[in-house]
């Protein structure tokens, strides 16, 4: 959570101190089973808080928003505890919860903003927009009569305008190619399911692949469905892709780990100051992939629940972890509802893998920038490019069930390190993404050639479609229009990779993730290494 800066430190500093005590009482009042009573110091602190806030409200030279002062003070105070204890204002809570609950209420479109215009990338299957006939390529120019084109709209603002309670209505005015007049759609908002398993498909006759984007409420059921589908297609070996997965619900991670671990084996345990927060989680249910080669893909963006699954698989020698060291988020938060609809997420324990490794990386209280930038600093210190740059803590040595050495100190270190490929990755290529140029070009290309590409079919497209030099020139022109200066040297260095990425994103515009990932993974170095290590993963499981 970012720090809210305010030049008037004389006003805020006493608030920080006083609100620390106030929130302590709120926590005690909301924690199940709490029997502690406030001390006299507590009551003095609460009285001081009341006095300070009253004086500011009544006597301060300018008008102040007391609620804003309190919320700012709470956020700053919590930053002094640990990086994951946080306060979520009521107005932000619904959006955050919807990502974990697996659904939200809205009109059901995936959109992007190109040249200050909202483009419908795709109407979501089964959603109200699809049912009314809104199409990929439509441009939303008005919402409830308010102009939204060319006025500097942000993604967050568009979400706020289009989302709303189920049953409510919103009118969008659409500009559609080939139509002279705007088309108005009055859309009744509805529950829009969000999926956390991005894709599952057979890589070859034996190897299945499942991409898990986060651990939300529906993740286990989605994973189970994907697993059974792949088994019906003959899967004997499995790749679970957790790269970039920030985590989510603990119980969903436990359920997925249980699908691949046989018998009763510990998956994760927690330990905290209070005994009631010390828990152990074991496998036990009959899983659908307890034997067979297993590889887990992860990287510096894999955190929390992702690390629980990977740690359990690694400690029990069930399969191989391939990629780069994970983020290192092993603090457990308890969500506590506050009276105004906001939420306090209080760290109450730590995660440990079955061998006893703490997942949490080191942190310095009050320095959130250093903590969150650590993952980016791995690019600076060379860790993402060479395993020799990974710093192990020799005092935190652990062993797997079969005696392999693993290290504590935060995050999960892979069994097989895969360096980030720098041969084709250039600043110009990255800027094509940062300026939205690659996305803009591929979305528009897919829209303009939709009928022809759809008739071709994905397998034919994958085998025979080539991104031509003419298409790359068109992409460069789009980037130039977006303010990106052409760099011929870097363009030529990235050219082969750029062809592959352009093809993958065009496929996404026609066949969604089922088209994107099979092509994208052809150039993904972690995926390619995972496939090559399947036989070794099988040997580990059989030892």
């Amino acid at each position: 959570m970012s720090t809210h800066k305010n030049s008037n430190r004389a006003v805020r500093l006493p608030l920080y101190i006083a609100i620390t005590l106030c929130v302590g009482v709120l926590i005690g009042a909301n924690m199940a089973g709490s029997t502690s009573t406030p001390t006299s110091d507590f009551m003095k602190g609460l009285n001081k808080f009341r006095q300070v806030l009253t004086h500011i409200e009544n006597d301060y030279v300018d008008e102040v928003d007391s609620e804003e002062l309190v919320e700012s003070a709470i956020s700053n105070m919590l930053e002094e505890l640990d990086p994951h204890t946080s306060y979520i204002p009521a107005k932000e809570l619904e959006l955050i919860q919807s990502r974990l609950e697996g659904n939200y209420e809205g009109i059901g479109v995936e959109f992007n903003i190109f040249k200050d215009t909202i483009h419908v990338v795709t109407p979501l299957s089964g959603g109200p927009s699809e049912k009314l006939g809104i199409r990929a390529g439509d441009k939303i120019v008005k919402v409830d009569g308010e102009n939204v084109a060319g006025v500097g709209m942000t993604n967050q603002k568009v979400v706020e305008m289009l989302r709303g309670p189920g049953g409510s209505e919103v009118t969008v005015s659409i500009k559609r190619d080939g139509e002279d007049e705007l088309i108005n759609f009055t859309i009744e908002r509805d529950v829009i399911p969000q999926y956390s398993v991005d894709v599952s498909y057979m890589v070859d006759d034996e190897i299945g692949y499942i991409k898990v984007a986060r651990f939300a409420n529906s993740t286990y059921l989605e994973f189970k469905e994907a697993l059974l589908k792949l088994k019906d297609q003959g899967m004997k070996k499995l790749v679970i892709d957790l790269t970039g997965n920030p985590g989510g619900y603990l119980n969903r991670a436990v359920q997925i780990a249980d699908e691949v671990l046989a018998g009763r084996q510990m998956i994760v345990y927690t330990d905290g100051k209070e005994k009631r927060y010390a828990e152990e989680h074991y496998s036990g249910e009959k899983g659908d992939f307890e034997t067979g080669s297993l590889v887990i893909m992860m990287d510096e963006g894999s955190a929390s629940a992702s690390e629980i699954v990977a740690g359990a698989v690694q400690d029990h020698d069930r399969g191989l972890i391939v990629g780069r060291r994970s983020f290192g988020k092993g603090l457990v938060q308890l969500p506590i509802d506050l009276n105004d609809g906001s939420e306090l997420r209080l760290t109450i324990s730590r995660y440990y893998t079955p061998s006893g490794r703490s997942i949490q990386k080191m942190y310095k209280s009050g320095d959130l920038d250093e903590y969150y930038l650590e993952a980016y600093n791995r690019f600076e210190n060379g860790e993402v490019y060479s395993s020799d740059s990974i710093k192990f803590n020799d005092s935190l040595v652990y062993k797997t069930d079969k005696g392999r050495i693993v290290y504590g100190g935060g995050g999960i270190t892979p069994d097989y390190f895969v360096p980030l490929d720098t041969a084709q990755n250039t600043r110009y290529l990255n800027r094509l993404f940062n300026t939205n140029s690659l996305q803009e070009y591929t979305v528009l290309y897919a829209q303009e050639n939709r009928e022809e590409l759809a008739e071709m079919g994905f397998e034919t497209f994958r085998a025979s479609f080539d991104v031509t030099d003419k298409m790359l020139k068109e992409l460069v022109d789009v980037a130039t229009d977006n303010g990106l200066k052409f760099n011929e040297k870097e363009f030529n260095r990235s050219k082969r990779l750029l062809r592959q990425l352009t093809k993958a994103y065009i496929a996404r515009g026609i066949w969604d993730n089922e088209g994107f990932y099979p092509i994208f993974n052809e150039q993904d170095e972690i995926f390619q290494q995972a496939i090559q290590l399947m036989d070794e993963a099988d040997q580990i499981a059989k030892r």
Side-chain angles (χ1 to χ4, degrees):
M1 186 174 293
S2 60
T3 302
H4 300 285
K5 299 295 183 185
N6 189 319
S7 59
N8 198 330
R9 301 292 296 179
V11 172
R12 297 180 61 194
L13 188 56
L15 275 176
Y16 298 161
I17 300 170
I19 292 173
T20 301
L21 303 175
C22 180
V23 173
V25 172
L26 287 173
I27 293 169
N30 284 277
M31 298 274 264
S34 176
T35 59
S36 60
T37 57
T39 65
S40 59
D41 287 341
F42 246 38
M43 298 311 297
K44 289 178 182 178
L46 289 173
N47 186 50
K48 183 188 294 184
F49 169 70
R50 181 185 62 79
Q51 288 180 309
V52 170
L53 196 58
T54 299
H55 281 299
I56 291 174
E57 183 72 26
N58 294 336
D59 305 325
Y60 185 63
V61 62
D62 296 322
E63 290 295 321
V64 297
D65 186 331
S66 297
E67 182 179 358
E68 184 177 329
L69 278 176
V70 170
E71 296 214 344
S72 177
I74 290 174
S75 297
N76 280 272
M77 178 262 297
L78 294 181
E79 288 179 7
E80 296 299 319
L81 300 180
D82 69 78
H84 298 290
T85 290
S86 60
Y87 167 75
I88 304 173
K91 62 183 179 182
E92 299 177 14
L93 189 58
E94 181 181 356
L95 179 60
I96 292 173
Q97 287 180 329
S98 71
R99 292 169 180 165
L100 286 176
E101 291 303 320
N103 59 66
Y104 67 93
E105 294 175 332
I107 70 169
V109 295
E110 181 183 336
F111 69 89
N112 212 329
I113 300 175
F114 303 132
K115 292 184 173 65
D116 217 6
T117 302
I118 304 167
H119 290 249
V120 175
V121 175
T122 183
L124 300 180
S125 178
S129 291
E130 183 193 51
K131 292 175 183 176
L132 286 177
I134 291 178
R135 305 174 186 171
D138 285 346
K139 303 175 185 65
I140 301 176
V141 297
K142 291 184 180 180
V143 177
D144 284 334
E146 179 182 345
N147 182 42
V148 294
V151 294
M153 293 296 290
T154 64
N155 287 326
Q156 182 62 34
K157 181 63 176 176
V158 174
V159 168
E160 291 173 358
M161 296 181 77
L162 298 183
R163 285 191 180 181
S168 63
E169 292 185 342
V170 61
T171 299
V172 298
S173 300
I174 296 291
K175 177 68 177 74
R176 179 173 291 169
D177 289 345
E179 300 286 344
D180 295 331
E181 303 291 329
L182 296 181
I183 307 172
N184 293 317
F185 292 90
T186 298
I187 308 169
E188 181 176 321
R189 297 181 178 97
D190 201 352
V191 173
I192 311 299
Q194 294 190 92
Y195 298 103
S196 51
V197 172
D198 281 348
V199 72
S200 60
Y201 67 93
M202 291 295 293
V203 179
D204 58 24
D205 292 341
E206 292 188 325
I207 301 174
Y209 169 88
I210 302 177
K211 169 69 175 176
V212 183
R214 64 187 179 279
F215 288 85
N217 192 45
S218 61
T219 301
Y220 173 64
L221 293 179
E222 294 177 45
F223 181 84
K224 184 85 165 178
E225 181 181 354
L227 197 60
L228 293 175
K229 179 193 79 172
L230 295 178
K231 287 185 70 175
D232 286 344
Q233 295 175 18
M235 179 184 69
K236 296 181 176 62
K237 305 174 182 180
L238 175 62
V239 176
I240 301 176
D241 186 350
L242 300 180
T243 56
N245 184 321
Y249 288 134
L250 164 66
N251 59 345
R252 299 300 178 246
V254 169
Q255 287 175 306
I256 287 179
D258 199 359
E259 285 295 318
V260 300
L261 294 175
R264 180 175 170 79
Q265 300 188 76
M266 179 180 285
I267 295 172
V268 67
Y269 70 91
T270 63
D271 189 30
K273 181 170 63 178
E274 292 281 332
K275 289 185 178 180
R276 57 189 164 141
Y277 300 133
E279 298 179 343
E280 296 180 348
H281 299 270
Y282 290 86
S283 62
E285 297 294 325
K286 177 64 176 175
D288 281 305
F289 199 75
E290 293 183 350
T291 60
S293 303
L294 175 65
V295 174
I296 306 287
M297 294 169 53
M298 66 189 328
D299 63 9
E300 52 281 345
S302 309
S304 189
S306 296
E307 296 171 298
I308 289 172
V309 174
V313 167
Q314 188 177 55
D315 282 1
H316 292 307
D317 299 288
R318 172 62 186 90
L320 289 177
I321 312 301
V322 176
R324 295 184 288 275
R325 182 167 64 93
S326 61
F327 180 85
K329 195 274 186 184
L331 297 176
V332 186
Q333 283 70 52
L334 175 70
I336 301 169
D337 295 329
L338 303 180
N339 293 335
D340 66 345
S342 58
E343 184 177 275
L344 171 67
R345 294 188 176 177
L346 183 71
T347 297
I348 45 89
S349 59
R350 286 179 168 82
Y351 289 128
Y352 294 86
T353 72
S355 67
R357 292 180 287 164
S358 171
I359 292 173
Q360 180 62 40
K361 65 183 177 183
M362 297 295 293
Y363 60 87
K364 186 187 302 180
S365 295
D367 197 342
L368 289 188
D369 287 343
E370 180 182 338
Y371 178 79
Y372 283 106
L373 287 174
E374 187 273 338
Y376 295 99
N377 290 339
R378 299 180 194 182
F379 291 83
E380 296 294 325
N381 64 30
E383 179 178 327
V384 297
Y385 307 115
S386 171
S387 60
D388 293 337
S389 298
I390 301 176
K391 296 179 175 61
F392 296 107
N393 189 332
D394 293 336
S395 66
L396 299 175
V397 175
Y398 299 83
K399 289 188 177 182
T400 68
D401 289 354
K402 296 175 182 176
R404 293 189 299 146
I405 297 294
V406 289
Y407 292 92
I412 303 297
T413 300
D415 300 305
Y416 279 85
F417 173 80
V418 180
L420 189 67
D421 183 10
T422 59
Q424 301 180 71
N425 200 348
T426 63
R427 186 176 183 274
Y428 183 76
L429 177 63
N430 292 331
R431 292 283 291 155
L432 286 173
F433 282 95
N434 295 342
T435 59
N436 232 16
S437 301
L438 181 64
Q439 298 92 316
E440 178 180 344
Y441 174 73
T442 54
V443 164
L444 295 177
Y445 186 93
Q447 291 169 0
E448 294 169 0
N449 297 275
R450 178 170 299 279
E451 290 186 10
E452 176 187 347
L453 295 174
E455 184 177 348
M456 178 187 300
F458 174 68
E459 292 303 331
T460 301
F461 173 89
R462 182 180 181 183
S464 61
F465 183 87
D466 291 322
V467 174
T468 64
D469 287 341
K470 178 176 179 292
M471 293 171 63
L472 291 183
K473 174 63 167 60
E474 292 169 349
L475 169 57
V476 168
D477 290 343
V478 168
T480 302
D481 289 343
N482 289 336
L484 176 59
K485 185 178 180 180
F486 180 61
N487 186 313
E488 183 176 6
K489 180 179 179 181
E490 293 186 357
F491 171 80
N492 288 331
R493 180 175 156 191
S494 299
K495 198 170 186 178
R496 185 167 63 87
L497 176 58
L498 184 56
R499 290 187 198 276
Q500 190 77 20
L501 293 174
T502 302
K503 182 175 179 178
Y505 278 94
I506 290 172
R508 187 178 208 169
I510 307 298
W511 298 282
D512 203 20
N513 285 338
E514 285 74 15
F516 175 77
Y517 278 102
I519 295 175
F520 178 84
N521 282 339
E522 290 176 6
Q523 59 79 42
D524 185 272
E525 59 270 14
I526 299 178
F527 174 84
Q528 294 300 327
Q529 186 69 62
I531 298 304
Q532 294 175 23
L533 289 169
M534 269 298 168
D535 289 340
E536 186 161 344
D538 190 47
Q539 292 303 312
I540 283 181
K542 289 178 179 178
R543 273 181 206 155

